[in-house]
Amino acid sequence: MEWIDISRPLFAGVPTWPGDTPFRYEVSWSKAASGSVNVGRLTMSVHTGTHVDAPFHVDDEGRRAADLPVELYVGPARVIDVSGKASIGADDLAAHDLSGVTRLLLKTGSWTDPERFPADICYLRPDLPPFLAAKGIRLIGVDVPSVDPLDSKELPAHHGLHAHDIHILEGVVLDRVTPGDYELIALPLPLREADGSPVRAVLRRLANRSGE
Ligand SMILES: Nc1ccccc1C(=O)C[C@H](N)C(=O)O
Ligand SMILES: [Zn+2]
Ligand SMILES: [Zn+2]
């Protein structure tokens, strides 16, 4: 089985959260100047492209990127299609059998133009975190830049997920991914202070178990 890259490419001009630090890569020391190598430097918000939020993003006492348990970001994951909805709550997932699922990726299809930051996205309603926690889910992934509405200041989904110890993966690309069971790798960098981290996220199909 092939690995499917579900990461967004990072380049100058990659869509970023309005007002946040633009992505930049520059060769700070060129091969010509150094006589031996090109050496690059990155400037970016950690919430760019495909990334994880660390609890410190919404909680001053919360864990930083380097404290995130690697086990959470490697292992079986279920991809489900929830496209065509303005938001997702417990009702929307009631028809899905999520027994045994610890990592859940929601294909909302609501970030349609990868070249632009979306104007409107499918978000998670406040009744979703307790529902997911009751199912045993520990990691939720979405194909949009946030689990909350883009204009939200209170961030109920971020706080609700954090309160239920469910970790957040944002900005995955699921357009080419068929719903089903996969092996996921989406490891954060060991950034000691950071409130999140870019990740390289990949999926590999697992042998079919359920009929989904
Ligand atoms: N970059 C920002 C700048 C200002 C305010 C919010 C953000 C965010 O990134 C929030 C988003 N819910 C996120 O976790 O990615
Ligand atoms: Zn984020
Ligand atoms: Zn977030």
Side-chain angles (χ1 to χ4, degrees), residues 13 26 39 46 93 110 122 128 137 151 153 157 163 173 176 178 189:
E26 66 214 286
V39 177
V46 298
L93 299 192
S110 65
C122 175
L128 198 64
I137 286 160
D151 59 0
K153 289 279 176 282
V173 182
R176 296 177 303 111
T178 318
L189 300 174

Side-chain angles (χ1 to χ4, degrees), residues 47 51 53 57 170:
H47 301 273
H51 70 278
D53 289 353
H57 185 45
E170 293 170 323

Side-chain angles (χ1 to χ4, degrees), residues 122-199:
C122 175
Y123 62 91
L124 309 186
R125 296 199 299 276
D127 70 339
L128 198 64
F131 173 86
L132 295 176
K135 298 283 182 190
I137 286 160
R138 304 290 322 286
L139 178 73
I140 184 85
V142 291
D143 57 358
V144 284
S146 184
V147 290
D148 277 296
L150 295 173
D151 59 0
S152 174
K153 289 279 176 282
E154 314 282 295
L155 304 176
H158 280 85
H159 285 282
L161 290 166
H162 175 47
H164 289 88
D165 206 22
I166 300 170
H167 290 251
I168 301 172
L169 168 63
E170 293 170 323
V172 292
V173 182
L174 297 175
D175 304 343
R176 296 177 303 111
V177 180
T178 318
D181 288 321
Y182 293 83
E183 182 181 354
L184 168 76
I185 303 178
L187 287 165
L189 300 174
L191 300 163
R192 281 218 178 133
E193 298 168 280
D195 59 298
S197 171
V199 298

